[in-house]
Amino acid sequence: MAHSGSNAVGVDNTFRRKWNRDEFLERARERDRDEKDEERSKSKAKAPPVQRKPLKHRDYEVDLESRLGKTQVVTPIAPLSQQAGYYCAVCECVVKDSANYLDHINGKKHQRALGMSMRVERASLEQVQHRFESLKKRKDPGSFSEQDLDERILKQQQEEEERKRQRRERKKEKKQKEKAAQDEEAEDADPDVAAMMGFGGFRSSKK
């Protein structure tokens, strides 16, 4: 008996799609190039127009007390600059208290908006020497020694003792005047009134 499996016809795979390896590698490279170009364009759009400079010392005083103790009416439709808190015109935001406002203007976001990085410029030897000279000129011409400090302390102690002595004398004079005034009132007062006030307790009563 003949077996039917011996003359079986092979499976035809010619209908399957054949992949071109080189073509798909080229497509993948183009896709990577497009994604990188998009990332570069986004990063350029986000970067500030001004080139970032090293961090600089603030040349103005921060106003934290001009609105202290003042009353302000705040409405929901008021612009940000007229709302309660501290308004930053650079970042166009409102910060609720002075501590957070100082953190904001010293922070990375605010400094980037000003065109500065958080890196401090390295000072040269000449800049340091110039800074020392300016500080020496600002200092008082007269030098301050330990002896001057001792003299100041001794002078303050003497002034304090003199003030205490004057206060004691004033209190003593005040008591003497009050006592003299009470004695005069007791002498001039009517006997019945003096008895009521307690001044006539030792006098002999007339019968």
Side-chain angles (χ1 to χ4, degrees), residues 167-179:
R167 281 199 296 267
R168 285 196 297 267
E169 288 181 357
R170 284 197 294 268
K171 284 182 181 179
K172 192 175 181 181
E173 289 177 1
K174 188 177 178 182
K175 286 181 180 179
Q176 288 177 353
K177 287 179 181 178
E178 287 178 356
K179 189 177 180 182

Side-chain angles (χ1 to χ4, degrees), residues 62-70 86:
V62 180
D63 181 20
L64 298 175
E65 299 179 356
S66 63
R67 298 167 66 183
L68 190 64
K70 293 184 178 179
Y86 294 89

Side-chain angles (χ1 to χ4, degrees), residues 63-98:
D63 181 20
L64 298 175
E65 299 179 356
S66 63
R67 298 167 66 183
L68 190 64
K70 293 184 178 179
T71 305
Q72 181 180 356
V73 178
V74 180
T75 61
I77 59 173
L80 286 175
S81 59
Q82 296 179 7
Q83 290 186 6
Y86 294 89
Y87 174 68
C88 176
V90 177
C91 303
E92 295 182 353
C93 63
V94 177
V95 187
K96 294 302 178 186
D97 54 45
S98 60

Side-chain angles (χ1 to χ4, degrees), residues 4-158:
S4 60
S6 59
N7 296 326
V9 181
V11 180
D12 186 11
N13 292 329
T14 56
F15 69 95
R16 291 189 177 181
R17 184 175 179 181
K18 294 180 180 179
W19 302 97
N20 190 342
R21 185 180 181 85
D22 296 333
E23 180 184 351
F24 281 95
L25 281 173
E26 185 61 30
R27 286 185 187 178
R29 290 193 193 101
E30 287 179 1
R31 195 182 309 116
D32 289 340
R33 281 196 295 269
D34 293 340
E35 289 176 358
K36 286 179 182 178
D37 291 340
E38 286 180 6
E39 288 177 2
R40 284 177 194 152
S41 62
K42 285 180 181 177
S43 62
K44 286 180 181 178
K46 289 181 180 178
V50 183
Q51 186 177 2
R52 293 205 187 109
K53 300 175 183 178
L55 200 62
K56 290 184 180 180
H57 185 271
R58 192 181 293 118
D59 58 354
Y60 61 93
E61 291 187 4
V62 180
D63 181 20
L64 298 175
E65 299 179 356
S66 63
R67 298 167 66 183
L68 190 64
K70 293 184 178 179
T71 305
Q72 181 180 356
V73 178
V74 180
T75 61
I77 59 173
L80 286 175
S81 59
Q82 296 179 7
Q83 290 186 6
Y86 294 89
Y87 174 68
C88 176
V90 177
C91 303
E92 295 182 353
C93 63
V94 177
V95 187
K96 294 302 178 186
D97 54 45
S98 60
N100 287 328
Y101 180 67
L102 287 174
D103 288 341
H104 168 72
I105 62 176
N106 292 329
K108 189 175 181 180
K109 180 182 175 183
H110 184 81
Q111 297 301 331
R112 278 190 174 183
L114 290 174
M116 286 187 284
S117 66
M118 297 303 289
R119 295 177 183 173
V120 181
E121 186 179 8
R122 188 176 179 85
S124 63
L125 178 62
E126 293 178 358
Q127 289 175 331
V128 175
Q129 289 174 344
H130 181 69
R131 182 68 175 169
F132 275 130
E133 290 297 327
S134 64
L135 291 174
K136 283 180 184 177
K137 289 177 183 177
R138 191 188 302 177
K139 192 176 179 182
D140 295 333
S143 59
F144 189 74
S145 63
E146 293 183 4
Q147 186 178 358
D148 296 335
L149 181 62
D150 294 338
E151 289 178 359
R152 281 191 182 183
I153 293 173
L154 183 62
K155 187 176 179 181
Q156 286 180 353
Q157 288 176 350
Q158 290 175 352

